[in-house]
Amino acid sequence: MLFKNTKAFAQECDAQDPLHKYKSEFIFPKVNNQDVIYFTGNSLGLQPKRTKAYVDEIMDDWANLAVEGHFYAQKPWWDYHERFAEPLSKIVGALPSEVTVMNTLTVNLHLLLVSFYRPTKTRYKILCEEKAFPSDQYMLQSQAAFHGYAPDDAIVEIKRREGEHNLRLEDILAKIEELGDALALVMIGGVNYYTGQVFDLQAITAAGHQVGAIVGWDLAHAAGNVTLELHDWNVDFAAWCSYKYMNSGPGNASGVFVHQKHHDTDLPRFAGWWGHNKERRFKMEPNFDPIVGADGWQISNLPVLSLAPYLASVEMFAEVGMEALIQKRSVLTAYLEFVLQEIDKEVASSFEIITPTNPAERGCQLSVFLHGEGRRLFDYLMQNGVVVDWREPNVIRLAPVPFYCSFEDVYQFGQVLKKGINQKTSN
Ligand SMILES: *Cc1c(COP(=O)(O)O)cnc(C)c1O
């Protein structure tokens, strides 16, 4: 597609965009009395207007029915979570029985590792990416230590090559092969939170299995952003948060995937009554009889008030479909890349996009390394109604989320950025 860095071109793209109407379904913060350009949906998605009704419904049912709401609410609470199976399975490419919602992301990864990280004297290594999201690093370190291994010994990080921003697939595959029989677990973020690099889940999962390892994924930046076929790719387990691309609200519930091949097995797990046989749950029996499927990893009865916004969100995804979102996202992100390159030509700037240029290796996000006065430029953007995200030492992350960002947003962002850079050089 031939892009132009003009307002008319951007507006024409919006006019052609079948998802453009969804922008008005979201609530935007305002700066200087105007809706912001919101490029931070990779950190916290915007609130859909329809979400409040889902929360109000629970509040009303609680007021009117109290304990009876468990069975007689408009959407009964005792199996409220089952409404996620269909729509969520489509988002991550799973069977409905392979997904569930519960807890929060890091908690779920710990719980899944109870089942899926079972080291032995000879096979105890964990392979992860260099500079993983800090919570994942702490999680893996504490898991290794919990099993009596020194984290430095048990955890192997795949490194970037000197002078490169992204990991190479060949290096990941080589590392898996090198670790071979010693490798217990491969656990990587499906999309790197810092660079936006998308990993080849299928190839890495297959390589891990080839040497007898379990392969799990943290999909915090992948769910609702990139194409996932977790079932077909034979992924063992995965978890994601719902408040980034999935617009479910701050700190909200996490989604979990457990591959069908693990359902009817005697994998150890930490159990609770919500994972127990649904028909007999309220018989209060002493012996745990897990539900066959991801729901069998549930522990507590669900925080329905926090599931309500998540349900609003997955129903919106079902309405639009991942395919349409991904199609728009590819073009919108490419347009953002183009606008950045145009601005770079026009002004004496010095920034560099560190996200892979190959569309297959990136999702929504572009990470831009600002040489020089990064922080000042970040502040300038924020003061002028562009919400971006700052990461030390000098990176802004931009996520033009297809649900609620427009081509005109991207164009306008370029104009603000140019002014910000020019101000720097004239001062
Ligand atoms: C956002 C994010 C988290 C956050 O974890 P919580 O348990 O939800 O606080 C964890 N891992 C990755 C890779 C993330 O991007």
Side-chain angles (χ1 to χ4, degrees), residues 73-177:
Q74 298 161 72
K75 300 184 187 83
W77 305 331
W78 82 293
D79 59 3
Y80 194 94
H81 61 282
E82 292 183 2
R83 292 163 194 280
F84 288 80
E86 250 334 292
L88 205 47
S89 68
K90 296 220 169 65
I91 295 169
V92 299
L95 304 175
S97 65
E98 290 175 321
V99 295
T100 194
V101 290
M102 57 189 198
N103 314 308
T104 45
L105 174 55
T106 311
V107 171
N108 281 336
L109 289 172
H110 275 299
L111 291 172
L112 288 163
L113 290 184
V114 170
S115 301
F116 294 107
Y117 180 53
R118 294 189 298 140
T120 66
K121 273 202 170 58
T122 55
R123 189 189 277 278
Y124 62 86
K125 299 274 186 185
I126 301 172
L127 185 65
C128 67
E129 80 270 41
E130 181 184 35
K131 294 200 188 137
F133 191 85
S135 197
D136 296 34
Q137 295 184 46
Y138 310 149
M139 178 219 11
L140 293 176
Q141 289 160 12
S142 63
Q143 283 282 337
F146 175 74
H147 286 283
Y149 300 94
D152 284 353
D153 174 34
I155 299 172
V156 179
E157 292 186 350
I158 309 149
K159 307 271 185 215
R160 290 165 180 79
R161 293 193 189 182
E162 187 70 31
E164 297 188 7
H165 294 296
N166 295 290
L167 293 172
R168 293 199 192 187
L169 177 63
E170 64 206 88
D171 292 349
I172 301 174
L173 300 181
K175 203 60 167 175
I176 290 173
E177 207 170 308

Side-chain angles (χ1 to χ4, degrees), residues 176-194:
I176 290 173
E177 207 170 308
E178 180 192 319
L179 291 168
D181 289 347
L183 186 60
L185 173 73
V186 179
M187 166 95 243
I188 301 179
V191 177
N192 183 267
Y193 81 99
Y194 190 80

Side-chain angles (χ1 to χ4, degrees), residues 200-418:
D200 186 336
L201 275 73
Q202 185 173 19
I204 295 168
T205 302
H209 289 162
Q210 195 69 37
V211 300
I214 288 275
V215 185
W217 294 91
D218 179 335
L219 300 179
H221 281 263
N225 176 22
V226 299
T227 303
L228 295 169
E229 294 293 349
L230 299 181
H231 177 84
D232 288 349
W233 295 343
N234 212 8
V235 165
D236 290 290
F237 70 94
W240 53 92
C241 50
S242 58
Y243 47 80
K244 291 175 178 166
Y245 289 103
M246 299 195 61
N247 313 319
S248 80
N252 215 338
S254 155
V256 161
F257 167 88
V258 178
H259 197 280
Q260 187 182 36
K261 67 188 172 184
H262 297 300
H263 288 181
D264 208 2
T265 59
D266 49 10
L267 280 175
R269 69 186 82 178
F270 287 166
W273 72 324
W274 233 250
H276 184 75
N277 183 315
K278 188 184 163 190
E279 307 312 320
R280 301 210 315 274
R281 182 179 296 145
F282 296 103
K283 295 201 193 315
M284 305 309 204
E285 301 161 330
N287 295 321
F288 181 60
D289 172 21
I291 297 168
V292 176
D295 282 350
W297 270 261
Q298 297 251 354
I299 296 181
S300 291
N301 82 93
L302 275 303
V304 177
L305 271 170
S306 87
L307 293 193
Y310 193 4
L311 187 61
S313 154
V314 295
E315 290 186 353
M316 270 181 103
F317 272 83
E319 199 173 290
V320 176
M322 279 308 292
E323 213 171 302
L325 284 164
I326 287 170
Q327 202 170 356
K328 174 172 176 186
R329 183 266 283 156
S330 314
V331 183
L332 196 58
T333 301
Y335 187 53
L336 176 62
E337 182 181 42
F338 169 82
V339 166
L340 282 165
Q341 285 161 349
E342 290 298 295
I343 304 297
D344 197 33
K345 282 186 218 155
E346 287 174 33
V347 296
S349 76
S350 49
F351 59 78
E352 176 189 358
I353 301 173
I354 63 173
T355 307
T357 46
N358 174 5
E361 271 191 277
R362 70 182 185 202
C364 190
Q365 173 181 329
L366 293 182
S367 300
V368 181
F369 192 96
L370 302 164
H371 298 280
E373 279 189 274
R375 183 76 208 190
R376 193 202 57 83
L377 200 52
F378 166 79
D379 291 338
Y380 181 87
L381 290 171
M382 294 293 280
Q383 281 154 15
N384 287 277
V386 185
V387 182
V388 299
D389 162 293
W390 172 259
R391 292 288 132 162
E392 294 294 338
N394 230 1
V395 164
I396 55 171
R397 300 184 305 168
L398 310 167
V401 173
F403 248 131
Y404 47 74
C405 293
S406 66
F407 289 85
E408 192 173 347
D409 285 345
V410 170
Y411 168 77
Q412 289 297 359
F413 156 76
Q415 296 303 301
V416 177
L417 178 71
K418 188 160 84 176

